[in-house]
Amino acid sequence: MIRFIITITFLILFLVVSIPIIFVEWLLQKHNRHAADISSLRIVQWAFKVVIAISGVKLTVLGEENVPKDEAVLYIPNHQSYFDIILTYSRCPDLTGYVAKYSMIHVPLLSNWMKRLYCLFLNRDNIKEGLKTILVGIDQIKHGISMCIFPEGTRNKEPQEMMPFKEGSLKMAEKSGCPIIPIAITNSAEIFENHFPKIKPCHVIIQYGKPIRIQELDKEQKKFLGAYTRDRIQEMLDTHGELL
């Protein structure tokens, strides 16, 4: 329980103290947008790394060399925990926007940082608005900003098997031509969700798969891209048991 209290206290303090920082970043972007963007990225990554340290997570990272350093990508992870965002975002080598549920847009200060960092808010109940969001994501990728979306649509409470992937989640890669980076995350729910409200130290594995380049796939794989990507992640997850 102490870790939970410390984590929440740190996050609240960070959001409050960062109010003038957001303003400074806003001024900086008028002169050098890229420098301001990278500065914002590193600030939030620092905060997330502090949260990871407070949580006592032992993190094993595999295949990070598979992430291209010279082009934007679409990250596709499985999803078990709120910590999936903290763990993966803290390791993004360059600008990356996450696709979040629409309700997050109403969270003060947090949503300000998310907007600064090219995150998008997806309204799954409004097809037209959802399509607009995906189109923005495609445009951001074309301008060198990587995106991350959880294609299961919500957190999965069954760690042994992923839920079906929503095929529309892969549209940003299909329409932009960027590579897909499948990410397999094991045991992240053990940090928090499995014994809410306590935060407990545990061992988490994150594995980055080899880039999936859609133009290199056959017709059947392209037709069921979500299922194909899901299978690649499942293959990685199946090897993690021996590493825990």
Side-chain angles (χ1 to χ4, degrees):
M1 193 64 180
I2 293 178
R3 290 181 188 271
F4 175 78
I5 294 172
I6 295 174
T7 299
I8 293 299
T9 301
F10 170 77
L11 288 174
I12 293 173
L13 287 174
F14 171 78
L15 290 173
V16 172
V17 172
S18 69
I19 293 174
I21 297 177
I22 293 176
F23 179 69
V24 171
E25 297 285 78
W26 177 75
L27 291 176
L28 177 59
Q29 76 174 1
K30 292 182 176 297
H31 301 282
N32 190 329
R33 187 180 185 101
H34 183 71
D37 288 345
I38 294 297
S39 174
S40 295
L41 171 69
R42 301 308 178 204
I43 288 169
V44 173
Q45 286 182 321
W46 170 82
F48 282 176
K49 288 175 182 178
V50 171
V51 171
I52 294 169
I54 293 172
S55 304
V57 174
K58 175 188 175 184
L59 190 60
T60 296
V61 181
L62 306 170
E64 208 162 19
E65 69 278 2
N66 289 322
V67 181
K69 302 298 188 293
D70 57 350
E71 60 182 325
V73 304
L74 177 64
Y75 294 104
I76 297 291
N78 62 309
H79 195 22
Q80 297 180 359
S81 169
Y82 291 118
F83 271 83
D84 295 336
I85 299 165
I86 294 172
L87 293 166
T88 55
Y89 193 80
S90 67
R91 309 195 69 84
C92 291
D94 209 337
L95 294 175
T96 303
Y98 275 52
V99 178
K101 57 185 178 181
Y102 190 77
S103 59
M104 295 295 293
I105 201 170
H106 302 298
V107 181
L109 297 181
L110 177 59
S111 61
N112 294 92
W113 273 111
M114 294 175 73
K115 291 173 185 176
R116 272 288 301 127
L117 293 165
Y118 298 95
C119 292
L120 302 177
F121 304 90
L122 182 62
N123 186 345
R124 297 187 184 276
D125 298 324
N126 187 317
I127 296 177
K128 186 177 180 180
E129 290 302 314
L131 178 58
K132 288 181 180 179
T133 301
I134 296 301
L135 291 174
V136 173
I138 293 168
D139 185 65
Q140 290 186 169
I141 290 174
K142 288 181 177 179
H143 284 84
I145 300 164
S146 294
M147 296 299 299
C148 178
I149 189 168
F150 295 96
E152 292 172 276
T154 188
R155 289 178 294 116
N156 182 11
K157 297 179 175 61
E158 299 295 333
Q160 300 304 319
E161 185 175 351
M162 288 177 286
M163 293 184 288
F165 281 11
K166 299 181 184 300
E167 292 291 337
S169 302
L170 285 296
K171 288 296 182 185
M172 285 187 282
E174 292 182 73
K175 299 300 183 181
S176 69
C178 77
I180 296 168
I181 302 297
I183 305 178
I185 307 172
T186 292
N187 219 35
S188 57
E190 276 298 312
I191 305 173
F192 180 59
E193 281 80 1
N194 286 355
H195 29 69
F196 174 85
K198 295 181 180 179
I199 290 178
K200 291 188 176 182
C202 69
H203 183 194
V204 175
I205 300 171
I206 298 178
Q207 184 172 3
Y208 297 83
K210 293 182 179 180
I212 298 172
R213 298 187 183 274
I214 300 174
Q215 63 271 23
E216 298 175 359
L217 302 180
D218 61 37
K219 185 177 180 180
E220 191 72 9
Q221 291 167 340
K222 290 178 181 177
K223 183 177 180 181
F224 300 102
L225 184 58
Y228 176 81
T229 304
R230 182 180 181 275
D231 288 344
R232 301 290 77 75
I233 295 174
Q234 189 63 58
E235 288 172 1
M236 291 187 284
L237 291 174
D238 290 341
T239 67
H240 289 180
E242 59 194 43
L243 301 174
L244 289 174

